[in-house]
Amino acid sequence: MSLLGHVASTRGAALYVVKIGSASLKHDNVFDELAAIYQRGARVLLVAGGAAGIAEHYAEIGRTMRTLQLRGGDEIRYCPPEEMPYIVSAYERVTLPRVRRALAARGLSSYTAVAAEGELVCGTANPPLRAVRDGRTLLVRDHRAGLVSDVDTSRLHALLDAFDVVCVSPPVACAAGGSALNVDADVLAAELANALDADHLRLVTGTPGLLADPADVTSRQAHLLAGEGARYARGRMRHKVRAAEIALTGAADVAITGPHVLAPASGTRFWRAAPPAPDVQLLSRSVEISSVSGDERELADYLVDWCTEYGIDAEIDLAGNLVATRGDGPQRLLMLGHLDTVPHRWPARWDGDTLSGRGCVDAKGSLVTFLETLAELEVPPWAQVRVVGAVEEEMTAAGAFFARDNYPADAVIIGEPSGAGALTISYNGLLKVRLSVRTPVGHTAGNGVSTAADQLVDVVHRLRAEIAAASQDAMPAVLGMDARNGGDEQIGEAVLDVRVPHSTDVHELAAVVTRAAAPARVEVLRATPGHATARTSPLVRAFSRAFREAGVTPRFLAKKGSSDMNTLATTWREVPMIAYGPGDAGLDHTPDEHLPAAEFRTARTVLAAAVAQWAAQVAPASAA
């Protein structure tokens, strides 16, 4: 098994924190959805609600549920110290076994426990509670309820690595000692999402999200900004809104979903960043939805729904790509962007008219311009325009390879940042290899001992010299290196990335690397050639005219990096391909990634004009 994968990153697989209320736990489909999330490669932390399980347990043992009436009229479960063992028992005997059985039936291993166990989660007790009894207000000091104060993140991460699904439930341990503390399960989920730096938080309920009128399911609030939910929340929904607001201080994308489903489409999404104008709303929301390589499905689903709303035929293909198409004519234009980003951990935000956040430049800005252009485009009968949002561009190019083999085209626009006033007409090739060594363990005090790490350093040093000799302009970089003791042998691995100029055959360079790397074993992960499109190409001319119409003096770029253009070029011949999109490519993969709204708008204007120009150029003579 590879130590590094295709890229060296400390960030693990995407993490979903999913709170499922006790009523929803009785619906088998929620466990089917959890299994599907796990099968996509994500980690799953389930927080189980317990109201129905507690009622069931109390009925079984013949115990009366004790309640308190608050001054505002709400009634809550009364949890003095003597009651807490029964609350814990309800989770351990009813709710958590139900979860275990449902997950096991789907072939999933699970760890289930109340959060108080082993101080997995600790809390601090609430101050005394004012309640009403027989018309009189009294101060209740022994009600064991509180707020989360500490999460054992190291242990939870270890459990998530060891089990397919980890499930926890209230109550939590009291940091000051004494009996456990009851906490709201939705709030517990939000605190866990923040503490564990989750990618997605789903609060599953029995209604279609947050309703302005609880009696009217058509009053669903599909989208809310931070601070807007409280005006619509009633009863138990107030806790969910409170949990959503807590989670918005972290980095996960947040949704209250239902009825009894995990997908946000029929629920309420909560957004942090308030866009300065409606025309940048799709851009803003696309950047807010985390879509690190391998975790693109949430963004793909959201964009399919957006396309459907705008009358565009859209689907998710077998590779996981978003595919949106208009027209069925013989002249085919493919606009190939990508859904994924490199790992990130900061929430999107607007500073005036500038959006900051991972992916705004690389390359959600480009993909959104593609989709909005497609939505507004009048596709003539002789043309077809298809937008593909590919998966794993930053890693394996799996989505682009699938597009290469399934979506033939006569012209291609790649969605990568060129700047609104520039057009990329050339990319270098890419060679990415994994180097691995194994060597017997020896004491480092011995004469001539060479560790796995020593050998890797020597191999990389030798490869740099051999690559330079074979191709003076090639640019090698070590993406990551790992070496460790495996018992009887040491195991070392490195991932080497080489940007290959057009003058060098990428496969010949791969052969050079394979020969020179001995004794290291070489696995070729990517070998894609460079590609260039002539400035006289009709596609380039279409953009040139669009630039002029927008009052822009364009620049034409030959980039030393690579893109999905190279992936298509592995088998596509004589197909004109360029790359265009808003943003400064120098910000790619940096914590300074940001995109001004004006830059985005200019790119959208130029792209729309260029696509219209291309469609006019390929018109049959009979259409003149």
Side-chain angles (χ1 to χ4, degrees), residues 487-512:
D488 294 334
E489 62 179 0
Q490 287 188 333
I491 304 167
E493 188 176 282
V495 176
L496 181 69
D497 176 286
V498 187
R499 302 302 167 128
V500 184
H502 295 266
S503 57
T504 301
D505 185 290
V506 68
H507 299 291
E508 291 180 2
L509 189 62
V512 169

mmCIF file of all heavy atoms in Angstrom, residues 487-512:
data_model
loop_
_atom_site.group_PDB
_atom_site.id
_atom_site.type_symbol
_atom_site.label_atom_id
_atom_site.label_comp_id
_atom_site.label_asym_id
_atom_site.label_seq_id
_atom_site.Cartn_x
_atom_site.Cartn_y
_atom_site.Cartn_z
ATOM 1 N N GLY A 487 9.994 -3.283 10.393
ATOM 2 C CA GLY A 487 10.291 -4.506 11.142
ATOM 3 C C GLY A 487 11.603 -5.087 10.684
ATOM 4 O O GLY A 487 12.680 -4.695 11.145
ATOM 5 N N ASP A 488 11.548 -6.027 9.740
ATOM 6 C CA ASP A 488 12.766 -6.627 9.200
ATOM 7 C C ASP A 488 13.366 -5.813 8.062
ATOM 8 O O ASP A 488 14.482 -6.077 7.628
ATOM 9 C CB ASP A 488 12.471 -8.053 8.695
ATOM 10 C CG ASP A 488 12.103 -8.992 9.830
ATOM 11 O OD1 ASP A 488 12.537 -8.726 10.964
ATOM 12 O OD2 ASP A 488 11.370 -9.968 9.573
ATOM 13 N N GLU A 489 12.608 -4.853 7.560
ATOM 14 C CA GLU A 489 13.118 -4.037 6.469
ATOM 15 C C GLU A 489 12.629 -2.604 6.617
ATOM 16 O O GLU A 489 11.654 -2.341 7.321
ATOM 17 C CB GLU A 489 12.677 -4.609 5.112
ATOM 18 C CG GLU A 489 11.181 -4.627 4.914
ATOM 19 C CD GLU A 489 10.778 -5.183 3.554
ATOM 20 O OE1 GLU A 489 11.674 -5.557 2.774
ATOM 21 O OE2 GLU A 489 9.569 -5.236 3.287
ATOM 22 N N GLN A 490 13.330 -1.723 5.971
ATOM 23 C CA GLN A 490 12.896 -0.338 5.902
ATOM 24 C C GLN A 490 12.235 -0.094 4.552
ATOM 25 O O GLN A 490 12.666 -0.635 3.527
ATOM 26 C CB GLN A 490 14.074 0.608 6.073
ATOM 27 C CG GLN A 490 14.614 0.678 7.494
ATOM 28 C CD GLN A 490 15.648 1.775 7.628
ATOM 29 O OE1 GLN A 490 16.304 2.133 6.654
ATOM 30 N NE2 GLN A 490 15.801 2.319 8.810
ATOM 31 N N ILE A 491 11.203 0.712 4.580
ATOM 32 C CA ILE A 491 10.434 1.001 3.375
ATOM 33 C C ILE A 491 10.481 2.501 3.128
ATOM 34 O O ILE A 491 10.242 3.301 4.031
ATOM 35 C CB ILE A 491 8.967 0.562 3.535
ATOM 36 C CG1 ILE A 491 8.897 -0.928 3.898
ATOM 37 C CG2 ILE A 491 8.169 0.854 2.274
ATOM 38 C CD1 ILE A 491 7.528 -1.366 4.371
ATOM 39 N N GLY A 492 10.835 2.881 1.920
ATOM 40 C CA GLY A 492 10.886 4.290 1.566
ATOM 41 C C GLY A 492 10.113 4.564 0.287
ATOM 42 O O GLY A 492 10.011 3.700 -0.594
ATOM 43 N N GLU A 493 9.557 5.763 0.202
ATOM 44 C CA GLU A 493 8.762 6.123 -0.966
ATOM 45 C C GLU A 493 8.876 7.622 -1.217
ATOM 46 O O GLU A 493 8.928 8.414 -0.275
ATOM 47 C CB GLU A 493 7.300 5.739 -0.731
ATOM 48 C CG GLU A 493 6.397 5.888 -1.925
ATOM 49 C CD GLU A 493 4.992 5.389 -1.626
ATOM 50 O OE1 GLU A 493 4.781 4.162 -1.639
ATOM 51 O OE2 GLU A 493 4.129 6.238 -1.330
ATOM 52 N N ALA A 494 8.905 7.989 -2.471
ATOM 53 C CA ALA A 494 8.898 9.403 -2.855
ATOM 54 C C ALA A 494 8.059 9.552 -4.115
ATOM 55 O O ALA A 494 7.961 8.628 -4.931
ATOM 56 C CB ALA A 494 10.318 9.922 -3.099
ATOM 57 N N VAL A 495 7.445 10.714 -4.256
ATOM 58 C CA VAL A 495 6.701 11.037 -5.475
ATOM 59 C C VAL A 495 7.421 12.198 -6.157
ATOM 60 O O VAL A 495 7.627 13.253 -5.548
ATOM 61 C CB VAL A 495 5.236 11.403 -5.174
ATOM 62 C CG1 VAL A 495 4.524 11.831 -6.458
ATOM 63 C CG2 VAL A 495 4.508 10.223 -4.532
ATOM 64 N N LEU A 496 7.801 11.966 -7.409
ATOM 65 C CA LEU A 496 8.561 12.946 -8.188
ATOM 66 C C LEU A 496 7.688 13.444 -9.334
ATOM 67 O O LEU A 496 7.090 12.655 -10.077
ATOM 68 C CB LEU A 496 9.836 12.308 -8.740
ATOM 69 C CG LEU A 496 10.765 13.205 -9.563
ATOM 70 C CD1 LEU A 496 11.409 14.255 -8.680
ATOM 71 C CD2 LEU A 496 11.832 12.361 -10.263
ATOM 72 N N ASP A 497 7.620 14.750 -9.459
ATOM 73 C CA ASP A 497 6.823 15.411 -10.499
ATOM 74 C C ASP A 497 7.784 16.131 -11.437
ATOM 75 O O ASP A 497 8.638 16.897 -10.990
ATOM 76 C CB ASP A 497 5.856 16.387 -9.816
ATOM 77 C CG ASP A 497 5.024 17.207 -10.784
ATOM 78 O OD1 ASP A 497 5.565 18.139 -11.403
ATOM 79 O OD2 ASP A 497 3.825 16.924 -10.873
ATOM 80 N N VAL A 498 7.640 15.875 -12.736
ATOM 81 C CA VAL A 498 8.511 16.513 -13.728
ATOM 82 C C VAL A 498 7.641 17.202 -14.770
ATOM 83 O O VAL A 498 6.791 16.566 -15.406
ATOM 84 C CB VAL A 498 9.438 15.491 -14.427
ATOM 85 C CG1 VAL A 498 10.442 16.226 -15.315
ATOM 86 C CG2 VAL A 498 10.155 14.604 -13.417
ATOM 87 N N ARG A 499 7.852 18.519 -14.959
ATOM 88 C CA ARG A 499 7.173 19.248 -16.027
ATOM 89 C C ARG A 499 8.065 19.171 -17.262
ATOM 90 O O ARG A 499 9.235 19.577 -17.230
ATOM 91 C CB ARG A 499 6.911 20.691 -15.609
ATOM 92 C CG ARG A 499 6.084 20.792 -14.333
ATOM 93 C CD ARG A 499 4.742 20.080 -14.455
ATOM 94 N NE ARG A 499 4.074 19.899 -13.198
ATOM 95 C CZ ARG A 499 2.819 20.270 -12.959
ATOM 96 N NH1 ARG A 499 2.111 20.850 -13.910
ATOM 97 N NH2 ARG A 499 2.271 20.042 -11.788
ATOM 98 N N VAL A 500 7.480 18.639 -18.335
ATOM 99 C CA VAL A 500 8.274 18.216 -19.488
ATOM 100 C C VAL A 500 8.028 19.157 -20.669
ATOM 101 O O VAL A 500 6.879 19.325 -21.101
ATOM 102 C CB VAL A 500 7.899 16.769 -19.896
ATOM 103 C CG1 VAL A 500 8.782 16.291 -21.041
ATOM 104 C CG2 VAL A 500 8.005 15.836 -18.686
ATOM 105 N N PRO A 501 9.076 19.774 -21.225
ATOM 106 C CA PRO A 501 8.888 20.698 -22.363
ATOM 107 C C PRO A 501 8.450 19.955 -23.616
ATOM 108 O O PRO A 501 8.614 18.742 -23.741
ATOM 109 C CB PRO A 501 10.277 21.324 -22.533
ATOM 110 C CG PRO A 501 11.217 20.311 -21.960
ATOM 111 C CD PRO A 501 10.490 19.668 -20.821
ATOM 112 N N HIS A 502 7.892 20.702 -24.558
ATOM 113 C CA HIS A 502 7.382 20.116 -25.794
ATOM 114 C C HIS A 502 8.464 19.383 -26.579
ATOM 115 O O HIS A 502 8.171 18.429 -27.297
ATOM 116 C CB HIS A 502 6.761 21.198 -26.682
ATOM 117 C CG HIS A 502 5.545 21.821 -26.090
ATOM 118 N ND1 HIS A 502 4.271 21.377 -26.366
ATOM 119 C CD2 HIS A 502 5.384 22.850 -25.223
ATOM 120 C CE1 HIS A 502 3.385 22.109 -25.711
ATOM 121 N NE2 HIS A 502 4.037 23.014 -24.999
ATOM 122 N N SER A 503 9.704 19.823 -26.454
ATOM 123 C CA SER A 503 10.795 19.232 -27.231
ATOM 124 C C SER A 503 11.197 17.850 -26.731
ATOM 125 O O SER A 503 11.997 17.164 -27.375
ATOM 126 C CB SER A 503 12.022 20.153 -27.182
ATOM 127 O OG SER A 503 12.411 20.379 -25.832
ATOM 128 N N THR A 504 10.644 17.420 -25.600
ATOM 129 C CA THR A 504 11.012 16.139 -25.003
ATOM 130 C C THR A 504 9.832 15.190 -25.033
ATOM 131 O O THR A 504 8.724 15.556 -24.649
ATOM 132 C CB THR A 504 11.480 16.331 -23.548
ATOM 133 O OG1 THR A 504 12.603 17.209 -23.528
ATOM 134 C CG2 THR A 504 11.864 15.002 -22.912
ATOM 135 N N ASP A 505 10.093 13.961 -25.492
ATOM 136 C CA ASP A 505 9.064 12.926 -25.469
ATOM 137 C C ASP A 505 8.895 12.430 -24.036
ATOM 138 O O ASP A 505 9.860 11.959 -23.414
ATOM 139 C CB ASP A 505 9.461 11.766 -26.388
ATOM 140 C CG ASP A 505 8.373 10.721 -26.490
ATOM 141 O OD1 ASP A 505 8.142 10.008 -25.489
ATOM 142 O OD2 ASP A 505 7.736 10.619 -27.555
ATOM 143 N N VAL A 506 7.691 12.548 -23.509
ATOM 144 C CA VAL A 506 7.472 12.231 -22.107
ATOM 145 C C VAL A 506 7.724 10.755 -21.814
ATOM 146 O O VAL A 506 8.205 10.390 -20.726
ATOM 147 C CB VAL A 506 6.046 12.666 -21.682
ATOM 148 C CG1 VAL A 506 4.985 11.820 -22.355
ATOM 149 C CG2 VAL A 506 5.876 12.608 -20.175
ATOM 150 N N HIS A 507 7.436 9.888 -22.774
ATOM 151 C CA HIS A 507 7.645 8.454 -22.551
ATOM 152 C C HIS A 507 9.128 8.097 -22.588
ATOM 153 O O HIS A 507 9.583 7.223 -21.832
ATOM 154 C CB HIS A 507 6.856 7.647 -23.576
ATOM 155 C CG HIS A 507 5.369 7.889 -23.501
ATOM 156 N ND1 HIS A 507 4.608 7.465 -22.435
ATOM 157 C CD2 HIS A 507 4.526 8.540 -24.349
ATOM 158 C CE1 HIS A 507 3.351 7.824 -22.622
ATOM 159 N NE2 HIS A 507 3.269 8.481 -23.765
ATOM 160 N N GLU A 508 9.881 8.772 -23.443
ATOM 161 C CA GLU A 508 11.333 8.554 -23.441
ATOM 162 C C GLU A 508 11.944 9.023 -22.127
ATOM 163 O O GLU A 508 12.849 8.383 -21.581
ATOM 164 C CB GLU A 508 11.966 9.284 -24.620
ATOM 165 C CG GLU A 508 11.611 8.690 -25.975
ATOM 166 C CD GLU A 508 12.254 9.435 -27.126
ATOM 167 O OE1 GLU A 508 13.018 10.399 -26.851
ATOM 168 O OE2 GLU A 508 12.004 9.076 -28.293
ATOM 169 N N LEU A 509 11.422 10.141 -21.596
ATOM 170 C CA LEU A 509 11.938 10.621 -20.318
ATOM 171 C C LEU A 509 11.563 9.651 -19.197
ATOM 172 O O LEU A 509 12.356 9.423 -18.269
ATOM 173 C CB LEU A 509 11.385 12.019 -20.018
ATOM 174 C CG LEU A 509 12.011 12.715 -18.809
ATOM 175 C CD1 LEU A 509 13.508 12.929 -19.021
ATOM 176 C CD2 LEU A 509 11.330 14.049 -18.551
ATOM 177 N N ALA A 510 10.392 9.047 -19.270
ATOM 178 C CA ALA A 510 9.996 8.048 -18.271
ATOM 179 C C ALA A 510 10.953 6.856 -18.296
ATOM 180 O O ALA A 510 11.304 6.301 -17.239
ATOM 181 C CB ALA A 510 8.557 7.587 -18.526
ATOM 182 N N ALA A 511 11.391 6.463 -19.485
ATOM 183 C CA ALA A 511 12.348 5.364 -19.599
ATOM 184 C C ALA A 511 13.687 5.739 -18.975
ATOM 185 O O ALA A 511 14.336 4.918 -18.307
ATOM 186 C CB ALA A 511 12.522 4.976 -21.066
ATOM 187 N N VAL A 512 14.116 6.995 -19.171
ATOM 188 C CA VAL A 512 15.361 7.473 -18.554
ATOM 189 C C VAL A 512 15.256 7.397 -17.035
ATOM 190 O O VAL A 512 16.164 6.914 -16.340
ATOM 191 C CB VAL A 512 15.659 8.921 -19.003
ATOM 192 C CG1 VAL A 512 16.798 9.523 -18.167
ATOM 193 C CG2 VAL A 512 16.008 8.962 -20.477
#
